[in-house]
């Protein structure tokens, strides 16, 4: 899976199968429920991803005995798949901060090391602050030329990004406090 979007789907599938083995329909439902507000996955993208992961040995198929007369293939993570998932979860570079992948990384933060979570959150905040600066600058230059509806749409977009930056600031503060708590506990024993 070379493309960025392919890596995002790969992370989403491996992360979901890390929880429990699933058949394709259950996996798609779980992905849509887990990541629905960020993206919806279609069978058209899911099944080629599953085929690729099978070919790479990252997942395996189980063929349970059918109770209803029709068996469904159940996908499960292999040892190699678990290693690949950990590798994907440690990636904290710019691709993890982008709109396309941030939500997927965030959905699996419970499996991600604290230091990596913090880098991703700070990177996302930095990216959004850059976006805010450019939108504010563009808005200031074009405000008088925009009709009231376009101006409202611009204002709405600006407020949405500002709200996400505030949310990220809270998450970052919480992560930093949590990383300092064990140090306090150890120093209080002395």
């Amino acid at each position: 899976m070379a493309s960025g979007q392919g890596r995002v789907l790969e992370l989403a599938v491996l992360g979901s199968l890390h929880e429990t083995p699933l058949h394709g329909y259950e996996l798609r439902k779980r992905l849509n429920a887990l990541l629905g507000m960020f993206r919806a996955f279609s069978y058209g993208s899911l099944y080629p991803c599953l085929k690729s992961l099978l070919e790479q040995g990252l997942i395996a198929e189980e063929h349970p005995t059918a109770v209803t007369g029709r068996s469904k293939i159940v996908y499960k993570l292999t040892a190699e798949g678990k290693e690949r998932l950990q590798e994907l979860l440690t990636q904290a570079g710019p691709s993890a901060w982008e709109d396309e992948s941030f939500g997927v990384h965030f959905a699996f933060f419970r499996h991600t090391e604290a230091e990596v979570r913090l880098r991703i959150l700070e990177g996302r905040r930095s990216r959004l602050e850059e976006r805010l600066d450019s939108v504010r600058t563009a808005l200031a230059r074009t405000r008088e030329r925009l009709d009231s509806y376009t101006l409202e749409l611009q204002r709405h977009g600006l407020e949405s990004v500002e709200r996400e930056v505030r949310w990220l600031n809270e998450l970052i503060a919480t992560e930093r406090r949590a990383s300092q708590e064990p140090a306090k506990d150890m120093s209080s024993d002395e």
Side-chain angles (χ1 to χ4, degrees), residues 24-102:
Y25 178 73
E26 289 173 324
L27 180 58
R28 181 171 179 253
K29 274 179 46 178
R30 180 166 292 193
L31 292 173
N32 285 332
L34 181 67
L35 309 169
M37 69 184 316
F38 301 108
R39 64 171 5 99
F41 292 108
S42 69
Y43 288 116
S45 60
L46 178 59
Y47 284 103
C49 175
L50 289 171
K51 181 180 179 193
S52 175
L53 296 174
L54 280 165
E55 289 170 355
Q56 295 174 60
L58 302 177
I59 63 173
E61 294 178 336
E62 290 181 344
H63 299 271
T65 307
V67 176
T68 62
R70 190 177 145 207
S71 71
K72 295 181 179 181
I73 297 170
V74 175
Y75 299 95
K76 68 177 188 172
L77 219 51
T78 63
E80 293 83 5
K82 290 176 184 176
E83 287 176 21
R84 176 67 178 150
L85 175 61
Q86 287 309 309
E87 178 185 322
L88 291 170
L89 290 173
T90 62
Q91 295 175 358
S95 66
W97 315 334
E98 298 298 333
D99 295 342
E100 286 294 309
S101 59
F102 174 74

Side-chain angles (χ1 to χ4, degrees), residues 55-163:
E55 289 170 355
Q56 295 174 60
L58 302 177
I59 63 173
E61 294 178 336
E62 290 181 344
H63 299 271
T65 307
V67 176
T68 62
R70 190 177 145 207
S71 71
K72 295 181 179 181
I73 297 170
V74 175
Y75 299 95
K76 68 177 188 172
L77 219 51
T78 63
E80 293 83 5
K82 290 176 184 176
E83 287 176 21
R84 176 67 178 150
L85 175 61
Q86 287 309 309
E87 178 185 322
L88 291 170
L89 290 173
T90 62
Q91 295 175 358
S95 66
W97 315 334
E98 298 298 333
D99 295 342
E100 286 294 309
S101 59
F102 174 74
V104 177
H105 278 273
F106 190 80
F108 297 108
F109 262 17
R110 68 187 171 279
H111 303 298
T112 306
E113 293 179 15
E115 177 182 315
V116 174
R117 288 193 307 261
L118 195 55
R119 278 199 316 259
I120 292 172
L121 292 171
E122 289 172 339
R124 177 69 178 171
R125 179 181 62 187
S126 174
R127 182 63 41 95
L128 290 177
E129 287 171 340
E130 291 170 9
R131 190 179 299 167
L132 276 174
D133 288 343
S134 68
V135 170
R136 285 180 182 137
T137 301
L139 194 56
R141 274 187 268 143
T142 60
R143 181 178 298 269
E144 61 278 345
R145 290 181 275 164
L146 297 176
D147 64 79
S148 62
Y149 296 106
T150 305
L151 189 59
E152 277 302 308
L153 185 60
Q154 293 289 328
R155 196 172 63 76
H156 172 69
L158 191 63
E159 289 173 358
S160 295
V161 175
E162 288 171 339
R163 193 170 31 258

